[in-house]
Amino acid sequence: MSESAMSAAAEAPGLAADSHTAAAEMHVQDSESDSEESEMAEAPARDSAAEIPVTSNGEDMKHMMTGGPTLKETRIVSSSYGSPSEGIIEAEPYRGGLKNTQSGPVVITDDLSKNIALEKLEQVKKWSISTYKCTRQVLSEKLGRGSRTVDLELESQIEILRDTKKKYENLLRLARQMATQFYQVVQTQRQLGDAFGELSVKSPELHEEFGYNAETQKLLCKNGETLLGAINFFIASVNTLVNKTIEDTLNAVKYYENARIEYDAYRTDLEELNLGPRDAVTIPKIEQSQLQFQIHKEKFDKLRASVSVKLKFLDENKIKVMHNQLLLFHNAVSAYFAGNQQQLEQVLKQFHIKLKAPGSDGPSWLEEQ
């Protein structure tokens, strides 16, 4: 090779190196200008990030200290020598920080809700079994196939009480009917007295005769209102006795009769199991039936004793109340038809009965019925 050729070859790499150096310097200048523009664009974002208050959340503090929501992460893209993107640092948005959580309905399933559901299911199951046994017991009693527990003394007292209630209800109905009709009589007497008084003024020749009749009708009207007050008091007392006191006792009797049916139902069930074979399957059933029978037996005995006590107190209270009310009714009616106004007023004082003043705002005794 000639010296001129060798020198040309030696100079060629130098020229190539210079060209590559120049190109690298141009790329560096471009990247610096790009970085300056990126910094200028990110300046407002950093300023806004600096204004974010510090919270108690440790993760938020960490992200804010490292650049906040506008922090950029960088990665160097490596490529083969001479590539157009050689030496360029690309910026991508920071993907760390808080994650967006979506709010919605939260379903809580814990042991407590499961236990409540199981308890309700167990209660429904027990109720169904008890209802079936009681229905079967009632049907067997009506068909004459099943046996029932009978307390002869208590049953007779209950029948007497029911019969007494019916008779007192009839007495109450008649007393109200009498009061209604007598109220109409009193109103007619008042109107008749007013008519006699008007004619006494307009008829001088019959002034005294019309005047006597007017005074008589007014006096009867006044005594009639007093008698109505006594009858009204009698009706109210008997109504309380029949529809509250006796009714409460009969409600207790209903609970007792229901307990009796349950007791006989579980008693019959236990007797049927005892008549069957005894093995590993039936023995647990017999023990469970014995337990249920004992529970219902205690309930039945408790209600039977309670009903006996209620009937005793009711009988004593009934005698006391009716003794006073019958005495009031007799004395008031006798005094009215005997024309004894003083005795009639004395009866009302004896029983602390207050009559409403005429024209009072409250409803009359007839309106309350």
Side-chain angles (χ1 to χ4, degrees):
M1 182 180 296
S2 63
E3 294 180 356
S4 61
M6 292 176 63
S7 61
E11 291 176 359
L15 292 174
D18 293 339
S19 62
H20 285 298
T21 302
E25 289 177 355
M26 291 177 64
H27 285 299
V28 170
Q29 289 177 358
D30 294 338
S31 63
E32 288 178 354
S33 61
D34 293 339
S35 62
E36 289 177 356
E37 292 176 357
S38 176
E39 289 178 356
M40 292 177 63
E42 291 175 0
R46 285 197 300 268
D47 294 339
S48 61
E51 295 177 358
I52 298 176
V54 178
T55 62
S56 59
N57 192 328
E59 294 295 328
D60 295 341
M61 290 286 294
K62 180 177 178 181
H63 295 313
M64 290 178 182
M65 294 296 293
T66 56
T70 59
L71 182 64
K72 305 287 185 177
E73 68 174 350
T74 59
R75 63 185 180 90
I76 300 175
V77 181
S78 61
S79 61
S80 59
Y81 181 78
S83 145
S85 60
E86 179 182 358
I88 296 177
I89 299 176
E90 296 181 357
E92 293 183 354
Y94 181 72
R95 291 185 174 85
L98 296 176
K99 297 181 179 180
N100 294 330
T101 58
Q102 296 180 353
S103 61
V106 180
V107 180
I108 300 176
T109 58
D110 52 6
D111 295 337
L112 180 60
S113 60
K114 293 181 181 179
N115 292 335
I116 294 175
L118 291 175
E119 289 178 0
K120 291 183 178 180
L121 183 62
E122 187 67 21
Q123 290 176 359
V124 172
K125 180 180 178 181
K126 291 180 179 180
W127 176 83
S128 302
I129 295 174
S130 178
T131 302
Y132 165 74
K133 292 180 181 294
C134 294
T135 303
R136 184 183 64 177
Q137 178 66 25
V138 171
L139 291 176
S140 63
E141 290 178 3
K142 290 183 177 181
L143 296 175
R145 299 176 181 177
S147 60
R148 63 188 297 264
T149 303
V150 180
D151 188 335
L152 296 178
E153 182 180 359
L154 188 60
E155 292 292 334
S156 62
Q157 292 177 358
I158 293 173
E159 289 300 323
I160 291 173
L161 177 61
R162 288 190 172 122
D163 185 63
T164 301
K165 184 174 184 289
K166 291 180 181 179
K167 292 180 179 179
Y168 278 26
E169 286 175 344
N170 184 51
L171 177 66
L172 187 61
R173 180 183 62 82
L174 293 174
R176 285 173 173 168
Q177 184 177 350
M178 176 184 176
T180 302
Q181 294 173 353
F182 193 72
Y183 175 79
Q184 299 297 330
V185 172
V186 171
Q187 296 302 315
T188 303
Q189 288 175 341
R190 177 180 288 109
Q191 295 174 5
L192 188 59
D194 294 339
F196 283 145
E198 184 178 358
L199 289 172
S200 175
V201 174
K202 294 183 178 180
S203 303
E205 64 281 1
L206 297 174
H207 174 72
E208 293 184 359
E209 289 80 358
F210 280 123
Y212 293 151
N213 282 277
E215 292 295 330
T216 301
Q217 293 302 319
K218 290 180 180 179
L219 180 61
L220 289 174
C221 181
K222 180 180 179 182
N223 292 341
E225 291 177 348
T226 306
L227 178 60
L228 281 173
I231 296 175
N232 183 35
F233 187 78
F234 173 82
I235 292 173
S237 300
V238 176
N239 180 65
T240 302
L241 176 65
V242 173
N243 294 321
K244 291 186 178 180
T245 309
I246 296 179
E247 188 65 27
D248 290 343
T249 305
L250 289 177
N251 287 334
V253 170
K254 290 180 182 178
Y255 289 125
Y256 157 73
E257 291 177 342
N258 292 334
R260 198 274 307 165
I261 293 173
E262 291 178 351
Y263 165 74
D264 283 337
Y266 283 92
R267 176 183 57 80
T268 302
D269 188 49
L270 179 61
E271 291 175 354
E272 292 177 354
L273 290 175
N274 286 329
L275 293 175
R278 291 178 175 269
D279 50 25
V281 178
T282 59
I283 288 177
K285 294 182 179 179
I286 294 174
E287 293 177 352
Q288 182 66 22
S289 179
Q290 179 68 35
L291 177 61
Q292 293 296 325
F293 166 75
Q294 190 64 31
I295 293 174
H296 287 86
K297 183 178 184 300
E298 293 176 357
K299 179 182 178 181
F300 169 68
D301 293 338
K302 182 179 179 180
L303 289 176
R304 178 170 59 181
S306 176
V307 169
S308 299
V309 173
K310 285 181 178 293
L311 288 173
K312 181 180 179 181
F313 281 114
L314 174 62
D315 189 60
E316 295 177 356
N317 187 35
K318 178 189 66 176
I319 293 173
K320 182 179 179 181
V321 170
M322 292 307 299
H323 171 76
N324 294 332
Q325 296 305 314
L326 291 172
L327 184 64
L328 163 69
F329 191 84
H330 173 268
N331 293 341
V333 172
S334 300
Y336 172 79
F337 286 101
N340 193 338
Q341 181 180 0
Q342 294 180 353
Q343 183 181 357
L344 186 60
E345 293 177 354
Q346 187 65 30
V347 171
L348 268 65
K349 291 181 180 179
Q350 180 182 356
F351 290 92
H352 308 286
I353 301 174
K354 296 181 179 180
L355 298 177
K356 293 182 179 180
S360 59
D361 296 334
S364 64
W365 66 270
L366 183 62
E367 295 172 344
E368 295 175 351
Q369 304 305 317

